[in-house]
Amino acid sequence: MRRRLGRLEGVGRAALTAAGRTWFRPVRRFRPRGGAVLAVGVPGEEVLDLYQGCTGYGLLPLPDIAHLRWLAGGHPASGQFICLYFTLGGVLRGWGLVRVVGGPDGPEAALVETYAPRPTYDLYRWMVAELVAAVLPYRPRLVRARASCPVLGAALRKARFLRGRDWPVFVWSSPPPAAPPGPCHLTLNTQDEPLIPVPERWFPESVRGAVEPL
């Protein structure tokens, strides 16, 4: 009986491994007609044009380009940032930013920003797939994301992101603001979220002791 259970345990482990590989395999990427992906070092001022006019959002934080450049050019221990531009017919349609950082159990990745004005499900599905593919060479043990936009949320679920708990959005102002007339777009590109998790060690072992504390 013990031997038989051992065999069943082995079969069960193999089945779970196969199921996990199927579930977490890279999502097949599709590219819309005329679509192209451009990898850039850091986001430029041109992305601000995407926030002008009718965006389809009632609440939309503007990106701090100088802050994002500071993050991307910071200390190596803060992680690797990858910025992608998405164009349709040669025109910038959206942009995204991902981060890969070393964690206690291995590399971790995060979709810091995924944004396009007047988004469609197919557009965000394409962008999410490309951003996830950009971090796969680092073999992250997990990829985090946040989305208050229902269209982006649907695209993340299509990419097999697991939904966590819902967090309320608080707004402080005087007088109290009215509810936004449309959906809001809140991602990990707010406050200090692009720096979380904060590295526990800022200097690698190879240079430890070479830098004198102030």
Side-chain angles (χ1 to χ4, degrees), residues 24-100:
F24 292 107
R25 73 182 187 275
V27 176
R28 181 180 180 183
R29 287 175 286 168
F30 83 100
R31 181 168 297 183
R33 179 175 299 180
V37 182
L38 177 64
V40 297
V42 292
E45 300 291 336
E46 58 273 5
V47 302
L48 296 178
D49 294 338
L50 298 173
Y51 295 80
Q52 303 298 320
C54 179
T55 63
Y57 290 106
L59 178 63
L60 179 63
L62 297 178
D64 188 337
I65 301 300
H67 178 63
L68 294 177
R69 288 176 176 172
W70 174 79
L71 288 176
H75 194 277
S78 63
Q80 175 71 38
F81 288 86
I82 304 171
C83 183
L84 299 182
Y85 282 3
F86 299 87
T87 65
L88 289 176
V91 178
L92 184 62
R93 186 65 178 86
W95 74 286
L97 183 69
V98 293
R99 178 197 183 204
V100 183

Side-chain angles (χ1 to χ4, degrees), residues 116-163:
R118 304 172 303 281
T120 64
Y121 168 74
D122 287 338
L123 176 61
Y124 269 158
R125 185 162 67 98
W126 170 44
M127 294 173 62
V128 168
E130 294 287 353
L131 290 168
V132 171
V135 303
L136 289 182
Y138 297 89
R139 302 181 65 85
R141 70 178 190 89
L142 60 86
V143 181
R144 298 185 301 118
R146 176 183 297 162
S148 61
C149 169
V151 181
L152 179 55
L156 289 170
R157 288 191 293 273
K158 180 64 176 179
R160 302 189 183 93
F161 278 75
L162 302 179
R163 182 171 181 173

Side-chain angles (χ1 to χ4, degrees), residues 184-198:
C184 62
H185 181 78
L186 297 176
T187 61
L188 292 175
N189 188 21
T190 56
Q191 298 184 355
D192 58 351
E193 284 287 354
L195 283 175
I196 296 176
V198 178

